Amino acid sequence: MSKEEIKFGRSKGFFETFERRPGPIKKNMHYCPGCGHGILHKLVAEALVDLEMQDKMIFISPVGCSVFAYYYFDCGGISVPHGRAPAVATGLLRANPDSYVISYQGDGDLGAIGLNNFLQAANRGENLTVCFVNNAIYGMTSGQMAPTTLIGHKTATSPYGRTVTNEGFPLKVAEMVAALESPVYVERVALTSTKNIRSARRALRKGLTNMKEKKGFSLIEFLSGCPINLKKSAEATDEWIEEEMIPYFPLGCLKDIADERDKIIRPIPIFDKEKVTKALLESAGNIKFGDKQTKLRKDLRIKCAGFGGQGVLSLGMMIAAMGQSRNINVSWLPSYGPEMRGGTANCSVVMSNDIIGTPIVIETNILITMNQPSMDKFLPDLATKGILLYDSTSIKPPKTKSRVYAVEATRIALDIGNIKCANSVIMGAFAACLKGFELENYEGAFEEAIKTTFRKKPQLIDMNILAFRKGKDSVKTVNV
Amino acid sequence: MNSEKKLLLKGNEATIYGALLAGCECFFGYPITPASEIAHTAAELFPKLNRTFLQAESEIAAINMVLGASASGRRTITASSGLGISLKQEGISYIATCELPAVIIDITRAGPGLGNIGPEQSDYNQVVKGGGHGSYKCIVLAPNSAQEMCDFTMLAFDLADKYRTPVYVMADGVIGQMIESITLPAPMGRKPIPEWAIAATDASRRNFITSIYLGHDELEAVNIKLQEKYAEIEKIEQRCDSYRTDDAELVIVGYGIISRLLHSAVDLLRKEGYKIGMLRPITLFPFPKTEFKKLALSTDSFLCVEMSNGQLIDDIKLTIECSKPVHLYTRMGGNVPSMDEITNKCREILA
Ligand SMILES: Cc1ncc(C[n+]2csc(CCOP(=O)(O)OP(=O)(O)O)c2C)c(N)n1
Ligand code: SF4
Ligand SMILES: [Mg+2]
């Protein structure tokens, strides 16, 4: 046997006195005599010291009898909501990959309310050690049934005994986790006889070592006694675990592949101010500006509408980007959500030299429609002196007193070879409509806008600029 | 004008720009419309700067990841909407009690129940009044433009750190979905790890974070300390915009997208000769009580316009102790009140 086992006095993994514990008792833990938590705490405290993990260790106290574990361990501590320890651990570990974290959880905490958080953390392979204390009961809340309560066992909430038909079979957590790809180590041990405790000690240290070596997720399930709720003596509790629990929850290592796994290495966050700004500018697409602001005679309130998939939203985006590049204030607002899928889509674009009030456009002075239903829907809201531009491939000439422009956008796009650039054809037509009306060098501005809009798909830029130019040349005035 | 750094951004995207500029290290979230672009943008940009983006398994997981990351002393953020915020409430109560900083973005959608993804402001009560169990509150900032989505997210981090408390940036779906041009603020650089953090260092080894206090007196003391902090926040952090309120006989009140409508409505009605002004709360907690109390002395009445069933109006009435009539105009279900609806209601009151 190794030397560490023959220790006298309290392990240095514990505080000398438990000052955090309220009340007069500062030397003892709050656990009942014979409680598995007390035994496991000792194993943990010793391991922290022996493995030199104390400085970087954060011990998560769950909701359950071990809620006050932070009274005892001389390492970082946090108490967390019921069942959420693995999620909190994930936050701790991702924010600070240097830390070591023990997620210490009961069967209610891990197997019931927190099962999803636990399984997901296991499946993500967090660099975490989970100590799962399976005492087949809710200890803290005085003896209700746990997911691991055995068939026939009477508890406060299974007073006639757990049945297969009402509650199903007890949950085999270790087996479930061993079936996942990500975890590196899964073992079930028992905190009963000296032999079993020795094996528990070894398993715990193995899990912690995996974490120290950044190998990922380890689960150790500890079959553990709750004499108080079993209403048995400590010895009788151990017997009960060995005779009743172990046959259903067999001990042993279910998975150990830490050696095959690479270290989990997380990159060091970048805070360099220039690099941060650069990353953001690159992603947003930084439009080049002249310093001059184009003066509009009045605010443009534009509605672009069509079928979802026709690109009316990006059409609106391109128009907004064009306005932006002329230093005009712009806003763009989509009709968002499921209606965009298959159904009609529309967006509102506002351009103004002043602060934009509402970005929602109801009354329009420019309406662009790419299908008949949106023509029917939005034409009544077009101002009498407004401009209407539509895709005449499929839409009937409307009756209106507004200025009307038509372009066979869909046909031209098909001729170019991609129906998806119909919106750029419309852009070209729109540029032609505005010629001499509002904007100087509209062409340059629009082409810049196309480049910006497609910055993440550069292979589409040339085609869309071609579509834009064709649209500009093909637009027809309908009834000026 | 620094034209170099002007960007066209969606309100939702702008929050992540703000977060990264503020030195935020971790994003944890679960997708939900109309907040999803926040996660999309975070997923793209956090890894580019070697920071953490993780799609959590649920809103409950996300807020608890925030709890963990924040406990380690790093700036951290999550985002959701309506029903997702409901799921986060237990965690937020813990964060508030543990006195941890955190930033939560809520892009409110229409409820109750699954509701729809249209814009509403019906998270007001669950966000502004604490929302979870226990006597806590969160600071709530209500932006009304893409620029403010960025700026207020940055401000939220500073307030969260200053007061060690969760801070919401709460916007409606319109503000989240709208694209506008913004001027990119300067990055803040990395914030030092606070001394209370459980930072996995020998110096922080004896730190611990908890929200359980068995003694009744002990827990009452914790509560009192929190209330003192909220009183301090009320004293220092009230923010609002008053527009043409000096001689106003009617003051119209609204936040988020509503405030943009109200601004235009005031201009329009002023042209018609009505003495009308707007008060836009920017902080919802702390509620801009000082300004409301001041205006209650000069104006004849208030009109509260909100996209919820009369949640904001309660705070107005309580603040002015019902000393002046407070009218209400609401739309729900994803509808935004139109200019006509608002101006007609104003004319009716002023008739
Ligand atoms: C959200 C929530 N629900 C319920 C509780 C009440 N509660 C506290 S501990 C507990 C069960 C703990 O059982 P287990 O995880 O097995 O731990 P043990 O006490 O047996 O070690 C419950 C239901 C709570 N604190 N929080
Ligand atoms: S109730 Fe059970 S689990 Fe809780 S301390 Fe007592 S013996 Fe241990
Ligand atoms: Mg238990």
Side-chain angles (χ1 to χ4, degrees), chain A residues 20 55 70 74-79 96 117 124 268 270 283 286 317 324 331-332 336-338 356-357 359, chain B residues 4 44 49-51 57 60 64-65 68 72 117 119 177-179 181 187 199 201 205-210 260:
Chain A
R20 292 175 187 171
D55 279 345
Y70 65 86
D74 185 0
C75 66
I78 181 167
S79 94
N96 182 8
N117 297 134
R124 282 191 301 267
I268 296 164
I270 298 168
S283 172
N286 191 13
M317 274 297 302
Q324 160 96 344
S331 72
W332 171 97
Y336 57 87
I356 294 174
Chain B
E4 285 262 303
E44 181 197 336
L49 295 168
N50 291 348
R51 306 194 197 173
E57 61 270 26
I60 297 174
N64 282 287
M65 291 173 185
S72 84
I117 59 169
Q177 291 298 318
M178 176 177 61
I179 289 178
S181 61
T201 55
R205 181 169 117 193
R206 299 219 158 140
N207 289 348
F208 70 102
I209 289 168
T210 189
R260 308 247 317 220

Side-chain angles (χ1 to χ4, degrees), chain A residues 20-326:
Chain A
R20 292 175 187 171
R21 189 173 178 190
I25 304 169
K26 305 285 185 198
K27 280 280 180 192
N28 297 321
M29 294 192 214
H30 69 284
Y31 300 109
C32 313
C35 172
H37 285 301
I39 304 169
L40 181 52
H41 277 28
K42 283 205 188 81
L43 298 182
V44 170
E46 287 167 9
L48 292 187
V49 177
D50 293 347
L51 299 175
E52 297 178 344
M53 295 175 82
Q54 207 166 351
D55 279 345
K56 292 186 175 185
M57 180 61 75
I58 298 165
F59 186 100
I60 303 188
S61 303
V63 175
C65 277
S66 46
V67 68
F68 297 121
Y70 65 86
Y71 288 172
Y72 313 123
F73 292 105
D74 185 0
C75 66
I78 181 167
S79 94
V80 303
H82 195 18
R84 310 304 165 207
V88 174
T90 301
L92 284 162
L93 287 161
R94 297 301 182 107
N96 182 8
D98 283 343
S99 46
Y100 307 131
V101 181
I102 292 177
S103 179
Y104 186 104
Q105 302 182 260
D107 37 45
D109 193 79
L110 181 148
I113 192 167
L115 185 62
N116 187 29
N117 297 134
F118 163 72
L119 280 180
Q120 300 282 352
N123 196 51
R124 282 191 301 267
E126 299 296 340
N127 188 44
L128 174 66
T129 305
V130 175
C131 294
F132 170 37
V133 180
N134 177 357
N135 56 11
I137 199 82
Y138 283 16
M140 187 189 214
T141 39
S142 50
Q144 298 86 357
M145 192 197 69
T148 47
T149 295
L150 298 177
I151 298 295
H153 192 126
K154 291 181 179 152
T155 72
T157 50
S158 58
Y160 309 109
R162 178 177 185 151
T163 65
V164 172
T165 42
N166 205 44
E167 292 94 2
F169 288 99
L171 194 68
K172 293 190 173 179
V173 171
E175 284 79 356
M176 198 164 41
V177 174
L180 300 174
E181 275 313 300
S182 298
V184 294
Y185 174 59
V186 181
E187 179 152 355
R188 184 184 286 121
V189 294
L191 299 169
T192 51
S193 62
T194 316
K195 174 170 156 276
N196 281 339
I197 291 175
R198 198 169 293 147
S199 151
R201 177 181 184 276
R202 176 196 40 76
L204 172 69
R205 287 170 182 234
K206 174 138 187 118
L208 293 175
T209 306
N210 287 340
M211 177 159 65
K212 198 174 175 192
E213 292 172 359
K214 307 236 184 282
K215 290 302 183 103
F217 190 91
S218 300
L219 166 72
I220 304 105
E221 175 172 339
F222 299 90
L223 302 186
S224 174
C226 173
I228 281 285
N229 285 303
L230 278 175
K231 300 179 182 66
K232 292 185 198 314
S233 68
E235 296 73 36
T237 300
D238 282 358
E239 267 168 41
W240 180 83
I241 292 175
E242 306 220 342
E243 282 161 24
E244 304 287 331
M245 276 187 93
I246 293 178
Y248 185 82
F249 296 113
L251 305 186
C253 179
L254 288 98
K255 185 175 189 186
D256 181 5
I257 56 159
D259 287 346
E260 300 163 25
R261 285 285 165 85
D262 293 336
K263 273 188 173 201
I264 298 172
I265 296 169
R266 304 213 186 273
I268 296 164
I270 298 168
F271 293 93
D272 178 90
K273 292 185 182 182
E274 261 169 48
K275 285 184 184 156
V276 171
T277 303
K278 187 161 165 276
L280 299 187
L281 290 178
E282 265 172 20
S283 172
N286 191 13
I287 308 179
K288 298 274 176 302
F289 290 89
D291 282 338
K292 238 170 73 187
Q293 191 189 55
T294 302
K295 284 273 170 279
L296 298 173
R297 268 185 283 156
K298 61 169 185 268
D299 290 0
L300 300 184
R301 303 189 72 79
I302 306 166
K303 178 81 86 185
C304 306
F307 287 122
Q310 274 183 316
V312 289
L313 298 188
S314 39
L315 172 62
M317 274 297 302
M318 287 191 275
I319 293 171
M322 184 277 297
Q324 160 96 344
S325 75
R326 315 318 289 166

Side-chain angles (χ1 to χ4, degrees), chain B residues 33-275:
Chain B
T33 316
S36 286
E37 294 87 357
I38 301 178
H40 301 173
T41 310
E44 181 197 336
L45 292 177
F46 272 68
K48 277 196 179 159
L49 295 168
N50 291 348
R51 306 194 197 173
T52 300
F53 169 85
L54 188 61
Q55 179 168 328
E57 61 270 26
S58 68
E59 288 83 353
I60 297 174
I63 195 68
N64 282 287
M65 291 173 185
V66 166
L67 170 68
S70 173
S72 84
R74 272 72 170 175
R75 286 191 159 180
T76 167
I77 191 168
T78 184
S80 190
S81 177
L83 38 169
I85 297 292
S86 306
L87 283 179
K88 289 183 193 289
Q89 294 290 8
E90 182 202 24
I92 295 169
S93 171
Y94 273 74
I95 293 173
T97 317
C98 294
E99 298 202 80
L100 293 173
V103 175
I104 305 150
I105 314 278
D106 178 8
I107 308 299
T108 310
R109 59 187 258 170
L114 190 52
N116 66 36
I117 59 169
E120 250 191 20
Q121 298 180 318
S122 49
D123 285 352
Y124 188 91
N125 280 345
Q126 74 156 336
V127 166
V128 177
K129 307 290 173 175
H133 60 290
S135 304
Y136 75 94
K137 282 183 179 181
C138 303
I139 296 174
V140 185
L141 304 172
N144 77 358
S145 65
Q147 183 73 56
E148 287 187 352
M149 290 289 265
C150 176
D151 296 351
F152 286 10
T153 304
M154 295 178 80
L155 173 63
F157 279 103
D158 281 346
L159 292 172
D161 281 345
K162 179 171 175 195
Y163 295 103
R164 292 182 57 183
T165 196
V167 179
Y168 278 97
V169 176
M170 181 169 79
D172 47 83
V174 177
I175 299 299
Q177 291 298 318
M178 176 177 61
I179 289 178
E180 285 183 310
S181 61
I182 75 161
T183 305
L184 200 64
M188 289 181 182
R190 190 178 207 175
K191 188 194 65 134
I193 304 293
E195 56 176 27
W196 50 258
I198 38 174
T201 55
D202 48 357
S204 69
R205 181 169 117 193
R206 299 219 158 140
N207 289 348
F208 70 102
I209 289 168
T210 189
S211 66
I212 181 169
Y213 300 91
L214 285 191
H216 298 194
D217 290 342
E218 210 190 343
L219 182 56
E220 188 175 51
V222 170
N223 268 284
I224 289 170
K225 185 172 165 230
L226 286 179
Q227 304 319 310
E228 284 167 358
K229 170 158 81 178
Y230 302 142
E232 168 99 348
I233 290 170
E234 288 210 73
K235 213 161 68 196
I236 302 175
E237 304 296 348
Q238 292 180 29
R239 286 170 170 81
C240 63
D241 254 354
S242 283
Y243 182 60
R244 303 180 86 165
T245 48
D246 281 354
D247 61 341
E249 289 163 6
L250 173 66
V251 172
I252 47 181
V253 183
Y255 65 97
I257 183 61
I258 298 289
S259 65
R260 308 247 317 220
L261 286 154
L262 298 189
H263 196 281
S264 304
V266 166
D267 286 345
L268 203 143
L269 291 166
R270 281 272 172 184
K271 276 187 203 144
E272 294 176 18
Y274 291 103
K275 288 192 170 166

